[in-house]
Amino acid sequence: MVLIETSDASVATRNLTTAKAMVEGISQEMERDPSVFVLGEDVGSYGGIFSSTTGLLEKFGPERIMDTPISETAFMGLATGAAVEGMRPIVELMFVDFFGVCMDQIYNHMAKIHYESGGNVKVPLVVMTAVGGGYSDGAQHSQCLWGIFAHVPGLKVVIPSNPFDAKGLMISAIRDDNPVIYMFHKGIMGLPWMAKNPRSLGPVPENPYEVPIGKASVVRSGKDASIITVSLSVHHALDAAESLAQQGVDCEVIDLRSLVPLDRDAILESVAKTGRVLVVDEDYRSFGLSGEIAAVISETDPRMLRVPLRRLAIPDVPIPYSRPLEYAVLPTADRIISEIKLVMA
Amino acid sequence: MDKETRLGLYETMVLSRSFEEAILRDYHADKKPNWDIGAGLIPGEMHLSAGQEPVAAGVCAHLSADDAVTATHRPHHFAIAHGMDLKLLAAEIYGRETGLGKGRGGHMHLFDPSIHFSCSGIIAEGYPPALGQAFAFKYQGINSVVIAVTGEGAANQGAFHESLNLAALWKLPVVFIIEDNDWAISVPRDASTSIRSNAVRATGYGIRGVRIQDNSVEGVWDASRTAIEKARAGEGPSLIEVHTVRLWGHFEGDAQAYRDDLESLIDPIAAYANQLETDGILTHELVQHIAEESKNRVDEAIEFAKSSPLPSPEDVEKYVFA
């Protein structure tokens, strides 16, 4: 096992998109461990609707890369049963929005079996799914919903924001003995058919490596305010921080990378330093990640906050279709800048 | 069928009934005078399988510990027929640290990896994980099969239909069992299901389906032998529906005021004993002997459970993650 911190991405000699980094992680684990296999909708010859399995069918064949019927309950449960018998399935569900049709298999079965069995039965599997909006896909194809999975005991939740973490977290997720929900934002995959953040292409080491689950990353160090976020919003936060730096505001940006386990120490360390916090979350505002982070701080020592914490999250409305409406709810760089100005005021 | 097999089926059914009679006694013993579902030695919901023993005994007679069973919220007869250690089973039901799940599971959540046994409290949702076990066996080149059990109410669930299709498509070594006890809690079969036999539904997925109409343990034994051999031979899944009987309530405490068939119920164990006596296989003495043997095993298991420690509250967060 080789652990490499984010800073070590600088040693890599080539750039990959997030999608290709994920695929490389899966591919290397499949070569190493014959118990790893992939199943889901359009993961075979299509290569995954968001290119998360491109080339795997050609390399590993239909015995290990399997297209399923549109029967999410059946194939999600299949992954759980196979994991119980010693396999390490990677199961893709195309959009996180579709989990409603198979949630029982996730929150009542894969998440609980280890506990209910008193630790006698392990369920090592990875569920990977696309999240996020910004391209007018409407209310049933644009959500993040990570708060739902993080809420249920027994599921680890990882959300890479860049190619390096995408590969390292995928390898860690596959090797983990627990069910891991691996959520990738469409806007960071580097897809040729969707507007993408420039950081969706980045340096990735060729050798297998792990990014530890449950460890946040300080992606920009700063002293004035902490922006605590995850996924595509990390990039919006970095863009906002660059702009704010020119106006004399020095922001720290924390990429949580995992929601379960949550790196409370990283959050508290940053808050202790800056005393000002903006949580940016592309999931819904109420009963979710932003409230959880506020609670972590309050329960530890609310006096660390020099001003009240602010949160920029999707207001409690379904994601609208029409562009001006959708962008009225998404946490963009401009809105982050406005929020930071309020935090600094 | 040879004599030993028939006796074995009878013994399995008696052991299961004996176990559940003991659970029944302790479950109700300290819930008086004011009945409180959460009180007593055995708290919580309790779904007993009395009357349905022929299904479990007939199917599991063909299995070894290398084969898997996924059962339902009413799991005891399958657990016992598949060879679960009675002590570990009892200790789990009594919520003890020595139980199968160290008291974290309870009677609807029994997991025994030594015999590949699991169950689910959610209707029809035990079918999908069964597919995965079957997939793993096939992938690993192991000649094991999986028995996936539901009730007739579950045959109207999406998970049931998704699972039949996928198992048929991938030729997985699964035998789907439907225990049709006529009642989905209080809703009679005629009020829930558009056809008389769920075996017909197998045809819709291109697999073999049979219905056993009379709760006969030998009928189940015979049908499941064929289905299990087929699955082991790589010929894919089958469906067996057994018209069985729920002698007691959906759960203990269910007054069953909705039922009008209670007078006509036939106890399959007594009926089988009569048949075996007629055939000269059982004698009155042997019946007594088997009952005593079963009772001794059950008493030992219950004693183990009752004398085992309860889990410690400090350990409540243990086992959330591996």
Side-chain angles (χ1 to χ4, degrees):
Chain A
M1 182 178 81
V2 185
L3 277 181
I4 301 180
E5 288 304 315
T6 308
S7 56
D8 290 350
S10 59
V11 305
T13 55
R14 80 257 154 90
N15 288 331
L16 292 183
T17 62
T18 302
K20 285 187 174 147
M22 275 175 67
V23 172
E24 187 168 275
I26 295 170
S27 180
Q28 288 175 343
E29 284 305 287
M30 288 188 72
E31 283 169 21
R32 190 183 67 82
D33 181 351
S35 69
V36 180
F37 69 102
V38 179
L39 75 165
E41 292 151 347
D42 305 292
V43 299
S45 58
Y46 196 104
I49 295 299
F50 301 105
S51 302
S52 54
T53 57
T54 305
L56 293 176
L57 176 67
E58 292 74 11
K59 197 163 177 186
F60 297 102
E63 289 76 28
R64 296 180 74 189
I65 307 292
M66 288 169 300
D67 279 327
T68 60
I70 306 172
S71 303
E72 290 84 357
T73 288
F75 71 72
M76 203 56 72
L78 190 151
T80 296
V84 162
E85 295 296 345
M87 305 287 290
R88 289 187 177 269
I90 301 169
V91 54
E92 175 164 288
L93 186 64
M94 200 180 291
F95 289 77
V96 74
D97 313 72
F98 302 172
F99 274 87
V101 297
C102 58
M103 196 60 181
D104 185 74
Q105 283 300 325
I106 297 166
Y107 87 124
N108 265 332
H109 291 81
M110 73 172 66
K112 292 178 180 166
I113 288 174
H114 185 264
Y115 189 80
E116 289 170 330
S117 72
N120 287 325
V121 180
K122 291 190 177 77
V123 188
L125 61 81
V126 181
V127 177
M128 61 176 179
T129 187
V131 301
Y135 60 104
S136 287
D137 216 358
Q140 297 175 346
H141 292 75
S142 302
Q143 302 170 96
C144 286
L145 296 181
W146 40 61
I148 289 180
F149 299 92
H151 184 66
V152 176
L155 301 172
K156 291 189 176 179
V157 179
V158 301
I159 313 170
S161 70
N162 60 66
F164 178 87
D165 287 347
K167 178 174 171 181
L169 281 171
M170 177 57 78
I171 290 174
S172 297
I174 294 168
R175 293 178 185 177
D176 201 285
D177 277 342
N178 297 283
V180 180
I181 311 293
Y182 182 108
M183 309 177 94
F184 56 88
H185 200 294
K186 299 151 210 164
I188 59 148
M189 291 295 271
L191 303 171
W193 47 278
M194 187 181 287
K196 51 192 160 289
N197 188 285
R199 297 184 200 87
S200 57
L201 185 72
V204 178
E206 284 181 38
N207 288 331
Y209 60 93
E210 292 184 26
V211 166
I213 296 174
K215 196 156 169 21
S217 167
V218 181
V219 289
R220 187 184 197 283
S221 189
K223 63 179 184 351
D224 295 331
S226 303
I227 305 174
I228 300 172
T229 187
V230 72
S231 193
L232 179 64
S233 299
V234 171
H235 302 289
H236 299 327
L238 287 169
D239 294 341
E242 277 172 28
S243 168
L244 286 159
Q246 289 161 16
Q247 299 165 49
V249 180
D250 185 19
C251 290
E252 179 147 297
V253 180
I254 307 285
D255 178 356
L256 291 170
R257 300 197 292 193
S258 304
L259 299 195
V260 182
L262 183 64
D263 191 347
R264 291 179 169 78
D265 292 344
I267 295 167
L268 295 170
E269 205 173 302
S270 184
V271 179
K273 182 164 73 167
T274 64
R276 299 172 195 269
V277 177
L278 171 67
V279 184
V280 182
D281 184 11
E282 201 185 313
D283 198 357
Y284 302 118
R285 179 183 172 91
S286 297
F287 306 97
L289 174 64
S290 59
E292 184 63 28
I293 289 170
V296 165
I297 297 166
S298 310
E299 286 170 345
T300 306
D301 185 359
R303 291 167 301 183
M304 285 192 297
L305 289 172
R306 294 160 62 186
V307 297
L309 173 146
R310 291 193 66 86
R311 15 184 203 156
L312 177 60
I314 304 282
D316 299 323
V317 297
I319 310 288
Y321 161 67
S322 182
R323 191 176 299 116
L325 293 178
E326 184 180 20
Y327 276 85
V329 302
L330 289 173
T332 58
D334 285 347
R335 298 180 70 212
I336 293 171
I337 291 170
S338 306
E339 288 291 323
I340 286 292
K341 285 180 176 167
L342 292 172
V343 169
M344 295 307 298
Chain B
M1 281 179 76
D2 61 36
K3 184 181 157 185
E4 282 69 33
T5 305
R6 299 179 79 190
L7 261 182
L9 294 175
Y10 177 73
E11 284 169 346
T12 302
M13 293 197 293
V14 170
L15 181 63
S16 180
R17 181 69 61 84
S18 180
F19 182 84
E20 290 208 320
E21 281 169 347
I23 296 294
L24 183 72
R25 182 192 63 223
D26 273 1
Y27 183 79
H28 289 287
D30 45 7
K31 288 188 174 61
K32 294 166 186 166
N34 296 316
W35 205 84
D36 171 1
I37 190 169
L41 258 182
I42 308 175
E45 281 187 67
M46 179 53 62
H47 313 82
L48 297 173
S49 64
Q52 300 182 191
E53 296 93 344
V55 191
V59 171
C60 295
H62 305 289
L63 304 181
S64 81
D66 295 331
D67 296 310
V69 173
T70 69
T72 68
H73 59 289
R74 198 182 303 287
H76 301 157
H77 54 326
F78 270 94
I80 291 167
H82 194 35
M84 188 178 284
D85 185 322
L86 293 184
K87 290 181 181 173
L88 302 183
L89 170 61
E92 187 59 26
I93 293 171
Y94 285 73
R96 306 298 163 134
E97 184 68 24
T98 53
L100 273 176
K102 305 186 177 74
R104 271 76 172 170
H107 106 103
M108 285 187 276
H109 309 293
L110 305 167
F111 296 90
D112 186 347
S114 72
I115 54 169
H116 302 272
F117 185 92
S118 61
C119 52
S120 169
I122 309 293
I123 298 304
E125 296 284 344
Y127 269 18
L131 306 181
Q133 292 177 291
F135 174 84
F137 292 152
K138 194 175 170 181
Y139 185 96
Q140 294 159 349
I142 299 168
N143 192 29
S144 292
V145 297
V146 186
I147 306 299
V149 189
T150 67
E152 90 288 348
N156 299 315
Q157 261 281 12
F160 172 88
H161 294 276
E162 289 188 16
S163 299
L164 258 61
N165 178 62
L166 189 49
L169 184 71
W170 289 2
K171 277 198 166 1
L172 297 175
V174 186
V175 178
F176 297 107
I177 306 289
I178 301 176
E179 295 182 287
D180 172 13
N181 65 15
D182 285 326
W183 296 94
I185 306 187
S186 66
V187 177
R189 183 199 170 91
D190 292 349
S192 73
T193 305
S194 60
I195 48 173
R196 294 192 69 81
S197 165
N198 280 310
V200 174
R201 290 178 161 170
T203 313
Y205 299 103
I207 64 174
R208 188 165 167 272
V210 297
R211 179 173 163 91
I212 293 153
Q213 189 55 40
D214 58 2
N215 204 21
S216 141
V217 67
E218 295 188 4
V220 175
W221 184 90
D222 199 41
S224 53
R225 181 178 59 169
T226 309
I228 289 167
E229 279 175 2
K230 207 161 117 57
R232 278 200 214 286
E235 292 168 29
S238 311
L239 172 72
I240 299 171
E241 181 171 58
V242 184
H243 188 209
T244 185
V245 60
R246 195 184 84 198
L247 287 179
W248 302 342
H250 165 69
F251 44 54
E252 286 313 304
D254 174 6
Q256 303 199 80
Y258 51 85
R259 269 183 98 161
D260 53 8
D261 61 342
L262 288 169
E263 298 298 313
S264 62
L265 300 182
I266 295 168
D267 182 336
I269 299 181
Y272 196 48
N274 283 338
Q275 191 185 331
L276 293 184
E277 282 184 40
T278 306
D279 294 350
I281 291 170
L282 262 185
T283 58
H284 182 69
E285 291 70 34
L286 197 47
V287 167
Q288 294 290 328
H289 175 73
I290 291 168
E292 273 169 37
E293 290 277 297
S294 299
K295 190 175 174 306
N296 290 342
R297 286 183 61 190
V298 168
D299 287 349
E300 197 187 349
I302 303 285
E303 184 48 40
F304 171 80
K306 286 181 180 173
S307 61
S308 289
L310 287 161
S312 171
E314 300 93 77
D315 293 336
V316 69
E317 290 185 19
K318 256 188 177 175
Y319 312 122
V320 175
F321 290 109

